[in-house]
Amino acid sequence: MFHDPDLMPFTPRARPSLRVAAFNQIENWPAETYREAHATMRGVFPLLAPTLLIADPTLIEEALVARAEAFERDRFQTRALTNDVNRASLFFAEGADWRWQRRAAAPAFRHDNLLALVPTFARCGADLAKEWRRANDGAVRDVAPEMSRLTFDIILRAVLGAGATRLDERRFLEALAPSLASVGWRFLYARIGLPEAVPYPGSRRVARSIAWLHDATKELIAHRRQEAGESKDILALLLSAQDPETGRVMSDDELLSNLYTFMVAGHETSATTLAWALWLIAKDQATQERLRAEVSAVVGAREIGAQDIEKLGFARQVLNEAMRLFPPAIGVGRAPREDMTLGPLRLRAGQLLIVASFCVHRHEKLWDEPHGFDPERFSPERAKARHRCAFLPFGAGPRICIGMNFAMIEMIVLLASLVRDFRFHTTPGHRMMLGTNLTLRSRTGLPLAITPL
Ligand code: HEM
């Protein structure tokens, strides 16, 4: 078990603060959420309806799995996350509309299609390694943006195939940054009922960026429609998807929104997980060595292939432990469709209910020494003995992340190949400060000294 004060860098606040709400909402989640089955967070403003946080796996299973139909996505999260480029996507769809979109996208995430992507994952990792090798020994890099660049490169290839070269990657990521950074503000506005038109820091820049992202994504689809030939990427599967019962195909708006959602949700989350995993093993050198020994025994010096994924069990454990401590999605928001009861709780229609994944993952009753880093918690025997909703980085139930297996395979390949080729060390004097926008990140970056092996 590895301990370090940075692994829990804040104390839950006794009273919620408005300032904190815009940067790192979890500091406002009450301390009981880490000890009890549920907790209530009074609003930052006294008139605001309180937020209910749940952290008990049985209650969570009831809400997300057994009675999933009784809930919808909460309107605050939806307002904070939607914009003109993603409004019509699978992520925000409900009812019959959601069911058809989910079916239409499913073939792209079939296991055989994912394993066929392993060479793409490996080659993108190798390209980054080449770039890192050209730098000096021990060069310090912030691995958070480095991993974003890497996983963005990958998702573009998976989604657009050869068409990936059409997109100005750097410009896309630059345009995306202000929009992701605005999520905290937008969530706060939604919570306190302020209209979108009221400016917040950077809001004009966000509007300009969204307009650019919209046009850039639309152009990708227009190009593809003009092209002849057989592509096997995710966009091709979306274009050819048809509901067997109704004959429905995706509208231009749905295509635009889903393409954009896959490009954004499909890279930012894996990037933060990888960055956290590298930072954790830079702190815990013994785990780093053990991981390197596994890769060397399973793969040796050749390129990682589809046949290696199942054998890289310790890499999977390290990634799971990284997502336990730093889940990219800090929680899952829901609202009951009608007044109802959930276990001992009475819920009103439309009330905000948060499955507090960050707290579930560090709950005193579920984990020994919850703030310590120990990938052995995810050994197959120990993982099997655990409630399935005690660890839920990808959510649970019918709306569980559609990209879960894509992300796991991708992250195993990248973590394994980076650890085989480089040694990672932390940099003296750096203090990590958590921030939440779309994903859980470090506001002070994750700078690591990287030495080629
Ligand atoms: C480490 C990586 C990832 C994490 C931690 C993650 C996390 C999540 C979570 C927690 C949800 C559930 C939200 C809810 O129930 O309300 C979700 C849904 C979703 N994710 Fe992921 N995700 C990851 C990677 C990906 C990838 C690679 C893609 C696509 C290529 C993707 C696309 C989606 C979509 C489209 C949904 C909505 C599914 C639906 O509503 O039916 N995610 N993700």
Side-chain angles (χ1 to χ4, degrees), residues 357-428:
S357 317
F358 185 87
C359 306
V360 179
H361 290 183
R362 293 170 181 248
H363 202 281
E364 286 174 15
K365 299 208 172 103
L366 299 172
W367 308 91
D368 293 332
E369 302 183 56
H371 306 303
F373 175 65
D374 179 13
E376 268 311 296
R377 300 178 200 270
F378 289 95
S379 67
E381 312 73 58
R382 285 172 69 185
K384 225 182 281 157
R386 195 167 290 134
H387 192 294
R388 66 169 158 165
C389 289
F391 176 63
L392 63 165
F394 296 102
R399 293 206 85 133
I400 197 167
C401 177
I402 198 170
M404 174 170 75
N405 293 327
F406 179 110
M408 279 317 295
I409 297 174
E410 172 194 35
M411 295 188 302
I412 289 173
V413 173
L414 296 176
L415 180 66
S417 59
L418 291 175
V419 163
R420 176 180 60 189
D421 294 348
F422 301 93
R423 194 179 302 285
F424 298 88
H425 284 281
T426 49
T427 51

Side-chain angles (χ1 to χ4, degrees), residues 64 72-74 77 89-93 98-99 101-102 105 109 114 155 158-159 234 258 261-274 323 326-334 357 392-408 410-411 439:
L64 294 185
E72 56 191 3
R73 254 187 216 299
D74 77 89
Q77 187 193 175
S89 80
L90 157 69
F91 198 94
F92 299 109
W98 168 77
R99 264 189 296 283
Q101 287 214 41
R102 180 103 189 181
F109 298 94
L114 298 180
I155 196 71
V159 171
I234 294 179
N258 281 313
T261 298
F262 289 144
M263 291 198 298
V264 177
H267 91 276
E268 200 41 37
T269 42
S270 326
T272 46
T273 304
L274 281 166
M323 288 192 288
F326 300 104
I330 54 169
V332 173
R334 289 291 188 269
S357 317
L392 63 165
F394 296 102
R399 293 206 85 133
I400 197 167
C401 177
I402 198 170
M404 174 170 75
N405 293 327
F406 179 110
M408 279 317 295
E410 172 194 35
M411 295 188 302
T439 53

Side-chain angles (χ1 to χ4, degrees), residues 168-189:
D168 183 342
E169 283 188 41
R170 181 182 291 262
R171 184 122 192 246
F172 194 97
L173 286 179
E174 273 168 15
L176 196 56
S179 150
L180 298 184
S182 72
V183 171
W185 281 108
R186 297 187 69 211
F187 187 80
L188 183 65
Y189 269 38

